[in-house]
Each structure stands twice: as C-alpha cells, then as structure tokens.
Amino acid sequence: MPISLDKFDNSNFDRGAPPLTEALWRLLRWFILGDVIPLPSILRVAGLRLFGATIGDGVVIRGGVRLHFPWRLHIGNHVWIGEGVTLHSLAPIVIEDHVCISQEAFLCTGSHDFNDASFPLKTGGIAIESHSWIGARAFLGPGVTIGCGSLVAAGCVLVKDCPPGSFARGNPCIISEHR
C-alpha cells in the first residue's frame, strides 16, 4: 500500500510534558548538551534533571548529544554517553548501571507503519541493561532491549533484542555469544 502523507495524523501522540516545558527545553538544549560551550558533565546532568530526566551518580555526558524529550530518559550509575549520541526519546529510554554508549550511536524509539497508507507513528522504548557497551555509530531501533553484559559493535544495526552476554555486529545484525 503506498504511503499517503496527507492522511497522516499524529494528534494522539502524547509528548509527555506541557507545551511550555517542551518549548523551554528546545530553547536550552543546545546550551545544556551542545559542544560549543564546554560544560562539565556535572552541569549537563543537572540541566537534564531540571527537565525531568532521572540520572544516577558518576554519569558522564559528552558534548553534542541530541535528546528530544529528557523527561523520558532514565540513566543509572556510572554511565558514559559519547559525543554526538542521539537519544530519540519518543518513548522511554532506560540505561542501567555501568553502560558505555560510544560516539554517534543512535537510539531511536520511533518509526512508522509502512503497511498503513496513513503512515502512523509507532513507538517502543529502548532498554540497555547493566555492563553493556554500545559501539560508535550503532543503531538501536524501537522496542529493543540489550541484555546485561552485551556488546553491540560499531556500526551495527539492531532492530531485535540482544540476549544477555551477547555480541551483536553487522548489518544485517548477527548476534552471537560474547567471548
């Protein structure tokens, strides 16, 4: 069925915060997360907490991170988020303790139903369990869970769950036991 974008209707999508909060976030996110002004990570974390993100201790957030809705972000303790990471949080993103997300990784919680002419929005949260590493430029799709102690290699495109202790690599993704 061909896409008919004039039939698209996103009016039922819950943005998760009042319009004023979202507008204020859009105005300030370049300052809080950008890389033009080298803010220390502790200030980035404080700014995100002001906008509703739940963030644990010892979290490092580098510059150039892109985050759509901070009120849907939940980060545990001792997490590193590298330069240029995109957290497309149309649904919750949960990152447990001791997780590394490397440069320019893309966590995408939204897509569209290609089989419906009105191209409706589909969302699914992403969960990354403790002691996992997401490599540079990896892509995690909506609804994906990365099991505890897993490694997602650089450039991997992952659109299905990764069991605990796994090694995910490639496009299309191949999942094997972690070595």
Side-chain angles (χ1 to χ4, degrees):
M1 178 176 292
I3 296 171
S4 184
L5 294 178
D6 60 328
K7 295 178 181 168
F8 179 75
D9 178 10
N10 200 35
S11 61
N12 65 345
F13 176 66
D14 179 7
R15 303 183 77 78
L20 185 58
T21 300
E22 185 176 352
L24 189 57
W25 168 246
R26 288 179 180 263
L27 281 172
L28 294 177
R29 72 178 167 184
W30 68 269
F31 177 75
I32 295 170
L33 294 176
D35 58 1
V36 175
I37 301 169
L39 287 179
S41 193
I42 194 167
L43 292 179
R44 293 181 201 281
V45 167
L48 289 172
R49 285 179 179 150
L50 281 174
F51 282 94
T54 304
I55 303 176
D57 297 326
V59 173
V60 174
I61 300 176
R62 306 291 294 174
V65 170
R66 289 174 298 283
L67 172 62
H68 288 75
F69 302 123
W71 41 90
R72 291 193 176 129
L73 181 63
H74 309 276
I75 300 177
N77 298 314
H78 308 289
V79 170
W80 295 351
I81 299 179
E83 291 91 349
V85 168
T86 298
L87 303 167
H88 193 57
S89 55
L90 300 176
I93 295 176
V94 177
I95 303 166
E96 293 184 357
D97 301 338
H98 302 283
V99 168
C100 178
I101 302 176
S102 294
Q103 298 81 354
E104 297 182 9
F106 193 131
L107 281 61
C108 183
T109 63
S111 188
H112 295 273
D113 184 352
F114 186 77
N115 295 312
D116 185 328
S118 67
F119 208 49
L121 179 65
K122 297 183 340 181
T123 62
I126 292 175
I128 304 173
E129 295 178 357
S130 296
H131 306 285
S132 295
W133 180 14
I134 310 303
R137 294 194 173 175
F139 175 87
L140 305 184
V144 167
T145 295
I146 306 299
C148 181
S150 293
L151 167 62
V152 177
C156 180
V157 175
L158 189 59
V159 294
K160 60 184 177 182
D161 290 349
C162 185
S166 294
F167 176 45
R169 65 194 184 286
N171 180 14
C173 178
I174 299 167
I175 298 175
S176 58
E177 189 174 316
H178 185 53
R179 299 172 201 204

